[in-house]
Every structure is written in structure tokens, then in C-alpha cells.
Amino acid sequence: MDLVLNNARLVTLQPGNSGYQTQDNQCIAIDHGKIVAIGTQTSQQQAKQVIDCEGRLVTPGLIDCHTHLIFAGNRANEFEMRLNGVPYTEISQQGGGILATVSATRQASEQELVELALPRLDGLIRSGVTSVEIKSGYGLTVADELKMLRAAKALESQRRIKVTTTLLAAHAVPPEYRDRADEYIDLICEHLIPVVAQEKLATSVDVFCESIGFNLEQTEKIFRCATEHGLSVKGHTEQLSNLGGTALTAKYQGLSADHIEYLDDSGVDALAASGTVATLLPGAFYFLRETQQPPIAKLRDKQIPMAIATDFNPGTSPFADLGLMMNMACTLFGLTPEEALRGVTCHAANALGYGSERGQIQAGYDADLCIWNVQHPADLSYQVGLPRLHQRIVNGEVSHD
Ligand code: NIG
Ligand code: FE
């Protein structure tokens, strides 16, 4: 045995458990990066390393299933503009917004992008994140999108963290393709998705399906192409209006539909039928001072898994703290702290296609764990900004990041 955790207060998040089902005095045995046994006693004499958790709470490592961590530049000026009355959509139509970050990101080298991302990643790590999804989408040329994906992957060699990458080339129409969005979609389908699939630079493809992004037809073209190349799909859907992108994502068995403030009943039904995860992004809701709430009661009623993520990005969610998002999911959307914890563990794992490997404490699962300096699991949603993480374990290795 490589590692044994003793005297842990476990919340396993195994399916079928309702309530936290906290169990005290538990041991977790870990070998070759996987959890091999959970119980009140293990053969710890043979373990190479033993950690006494001293009764601390142990949960699965947290999973941030939607971020835009790689970019250059800063958009504090737009924050100021919005508070002076200019709406986000107008800033974006004037060439600000996503395109402002695109021009800064195109000028940065892969190495510079890695350096800029590290402090953001460190914020997430301090909040207990062991797996993070990172999207491209600020390059919008073949070379710059690939550069972003490579920079995202390179973070794995800098910190003890698992990175999942998503191609979001359909994030905005690049300035050189202004009024020629369909040609840009063709470029993505013919020259980007095949390379990304071939070089395994991403496992999913995402589209910003919105009036200031791409329409349903363009979104479907990307989804069809991604599927043909063996990549999963996910969507930025129903964030600012109801276009039907969520139902389209569900039609392609998408891993997740994200934002979904403007989702209607038919969209909820489509999610229920496909098993697609509903990813809530309360940071963007809060920062854009949105008032339209995602349909939480309906999602809950249909037992649609709800994930929670930071959506870390320079324009709409500059918050590198997944615990803050758990708090916001509770205070702004009315999730329970238990739903919030599931949202950043088991449901977030499903939103990345890792539902049978990560996000739960169960034999056979990856040994990605957090040991917390808190007593009750609700504390993880209740407190913000306190140094409550005691230790993080990724693939059975204790992290000292
Ligand atoms: O998830 N909605 C589109 N994309 C990002 C915003 C990106 C930006 O403004 O830079 C989001 O909110
Ligand atoms: Fe996003």
C-alpha cells in the first residue's frame, strides 16, 4: 500500500446516499494512485506512508469543471465601464469584451500564458481543486487556439493538478471574419477540430451559443464535426437569452450545458432525457449583475445533476475560488450546501466525463482527496476566504503546492 489515511471524517458522495452520511474514524487505503479500500481498519503496517487526519473532514478533491484560465490582459476597464452604465453586450459589440482578451492573448507566447495562469491556478488549488477544466477561446486562429490548449496542458507539469482541456474556438467571431461567421465555422471544422482530435489536445468542444456568439445552425455544425472526430460536446447556452442551445447540446449527448439562466421548460426536459449535466456559474451571474435565475426548482424536480464551476475568466467571472462559488450557489441560487458540495465533486466529474473515476470516495476511484480544517461539510459553503484546506492529495500523492 502506498498511502493510508487514518482517523478521517468521511463524506464519500457515493450515489444513492442522501444527506452527507458523514462517517467518523474511517481509513482510506491508496495504492498506485487509486483508492483501494475504505473502512474502519486497514493493513496500515504495510503502507509506505500514513497520514493521521486527526478526525478532520475528508472529501473528494474538488473539480472546477468550467474555466477560461488561460489568457493575457486585464479587463478592469470594462468593469468600470459597466458600472458607468454600458452593458456587457454593447462593450462586446464595440470590440471590447472577449475580443479585447483575444488581441492580448494572440500577442502572448505559450510560456507567457503559462506564467500568467499560475497565480490563478494557485487560487483554485488553495480552494481545494484537484481537477480543472480549461477552455481555449481567446486565440481564434488555428495557431493561437492550439497555443492556448498547449499552455493549459503545460500547467500539469508546474503544479500537482489534473487539467482537462476543451476547444472553444467558437467563442466569438474573430475580427478578420467579421460578417463571415460561417466561414470561420468552416475553418474550425476543417482545420482545427481534426488537429485537436489527432493530437489529443482536447477531449471536448464547446460553443458560445448566443446572439453575441454563434447561432443554433452554426453550433450544430460544430457539434456534428466534434462528434465525428470522437470528441464530446458542451455548450455555453442560455446565458443571456433563450436560443435553444441547451436542447441542442442534449441532442448531441453533451457532457454539460453551462450558465442556463434563461433555460425554459423544454430545455429542462431535454436535459432530463439526455443525462447532460446542468452547470451553474454563479460567479458570472453575480459579476454581470444578472437578475434572471437559472430554473433551479425545475432542475431539482427532474433530478438533473447540477455542477458548479468558477467560469474563471477576465470579463465575467474573475474569481479564482471554487469555495466562493459554492457559497454563491447557495446564497444566489438557493442550492443547499449539500447540493453545492455534490456540484463540485460527483456532478462536476460527470460534466467532464469522469463520473466513474473521480468525484467520489470509492474503491477503484482516483485518489484525489481534500483534508479540511472544518467540522461540518456545510462549512465548505458557509465560510469564504479562511485557510481551511489542510492537505490536498492528487493521484495518491500529497501535494505541497
Ligand atoms: O463564460 N460566455 C462566454 N464566455 C465567458 C465570458 C468570456 C469573456 O467575457 O471574456 C463566460 O462568461
Ligand atoms: Fe465560460
Side-chain angles (χ1 to χ4, degrees):
M1 213 62 70
D2 289 331
L3 173 65
V4 166
L5 268 58
N6 269 334
N7 198 10
R9 178 152 221 245
L10 277 196
V11 179
T12 64
L13 278 315
Q14 289 180 10
N17 284 2
S18 72
Y20 295 111
Q21 308 236 352
T22 314
Q23 304 165 66
D24 283 311
N25 298 311
Q26 297 292 299
C27 300
I28 306 176
I30 294 164
D31 204 28
H32 289 94
K34 300 272 181 198
I35 297 169
V36 291
I38 304 161
T40 45
Q41 263 196 333
T42 55
S43 51
Q44 56 171 279
Q45 300 87 328
Q46 288 146 31
K48 290 186 197 135
Q49 190 184 359
V50 177
I51 295 177
D52 182 356
C53 298
E54 299 172 317
R56 289 185 178 87
L57 186 73
V58 177
T59 67
L62 306 192
I63 299 172
D64 192 351
C65 64
H66 179 144
T67 84
H68 308 250
L69 212 68
I70 298 285
F71 62 86
N74 170 303
R75 300 206 338 244
N77 61 325
E78 291 181 10
F79 180 45
E80 188 105 48
M81 279 167 80
R82 282 198 292 109
L83 287 163
N84 279 301
V86 190
Y88 178 62
T89 40
E90 199 176 313
I91 294 171
S92 137
Q93 279 150 6
Q94 288 170 7
I98 293 171
L99 292 184
T101 302
V102 168
S103 61
T105 304
R106 284 180 177 179
Q107 284 167 42
S109 68
E110 184 182 317
Q111 189 51 37
E112 282 165 346
L113 291 175
V114 170
E115 296 295 327
L116 287 167
L118 283 173
R120 304 166 192 152
L121 182 61
D122 287 337
L124 296 181
I125 284 174
R126 271 194 298 277
S127 67
V129 171
T130 52
S131 287
V132 61
E133 185 258 17
I134 303 178
K135 300 174 196 297
S136 67
Y138 293 121
L140 314 187
T141 66
V142 171
D144 290 307
E145 288 291 295
L146 298 180
K147 175 179 75 179
M148 285 191 72
L149 294 173
R150 290 199 181 99
K153 287 203 159 281
L155 292 172
E156 279 188 331
S157 61
Q158 304 283 316
R159 296 290 186 274
R160 215 177 274 291
I161 187 88
K162 292 175 173 174
V163 175
T164 301
T165 42
T166 299
L167 177 70
L168 177 61
H171 195 196
V173 180
E176 353 27 288
Y177 281 86
R178 209 191 152 98
D179 303 322
R180 295 190 295 134
D182 287 328
E183 287 175 44
Y184 180 57
I185 295 291
D186 290 342
L187 173 83
I188 296 173
C189 291
E190 285 160 26
H191 299 288
L192 206 38
I193 290 177
V195 181
V196 165
Q198 169 87 32
E199 295 188 23
K200 297 196 184 338
L201 281 170
T203 45
S204 306
V205 175
D206 195 342
V207 177
F208 186 23
C209 182
E210 189 55 67
S211 54
I212 58 166
F214 296 88
N215 64 30
L216 276 182
E217 208 177 289
Q218 293 161 337
T219 304
E220 181 149 25
K221 214 164 171 190
I222 300 265
F223 282 178
R224 210 179 299 123
C225 178
T227 308
E228 280 164 13
H229 284 84
L231 300 170
S232 310
V233 306
K234 41 175 62 218
H236 279 73
T237 56
E238 272 67 75
Q239 180 187 10
L240 309 168
S241 60
N242 180 19
L243 289 192
T246 303
L248 183 64
T249 308
K251 179 178 157 191
Y252 282 81
Q253 269 79 51
L255 290 174
S256 67
D258 302 28
H259 286 292
I260 60 166
E261 279 88 340
Y262 288 82
L263 189 65
D264 64 10
D265 289 357
S266 65
V268 173
D269 290 342
L271 288 180
S274 68
T276 300
V277 174
T279 299
L280 307 173
L281 304 172
F285 173 93
Y286 160 85
F287 197 64
L288 291 176
R289 303 168 78 212
E290 179 59 71
T291 52
Q292 173 78 29
Q293 291 263 345
I296 302 299
K298 290 176 183 158
L299 295 168
R300 195 182 270 144
D301 188 46
K302 303 257 168 171
Q303 300 187 339
I304 294 164
M306 292 183 276
I308 298 162
T310 60
D311 192 17
F312 185 94
N313 77 72
T316 66
S317 192
F319 308 114
D321 185 335
L322 193 53
L324 174 62
M325 298 304 125
M326 294 168 74
N327 177 275
M328 285 184 180
C330 297
T331 54
L332 300 176
F333 295 161
L335 265 68
T336 65
E338 184 192 335
E339 287 172 322
L341 183 56
R342 290 182 186 278
V344 295
T345 54
C346 49
H347 296 327
N350 277 317
L352 297 183
Y354 296 126
S356 51
E357 295 153 60
R358 301 184 196 169
Q360 297 175 39
I361 300 180
Q362 201 175 148
Y365 274 59
D366 292 359
D368 300 342
L369 302 163
C370 284
I371 308 174
W372 302 97
N373 286 316
V374 302
Q375 268 302 301
H376 194 276
D379 281 344
L380 298 175
S381 295
Y382 161 66
Q383 299 172 323
V384 177
L386 295 172
R388 63 191 181 194
L389 181 68
H390 178 67
Q391 248 165 355
R392 233 169 32 102
I393 295 168
V394 183
N395 277 339
E397 307 256 5
V398 182
S399 163
H400 300 286
D401 291 334

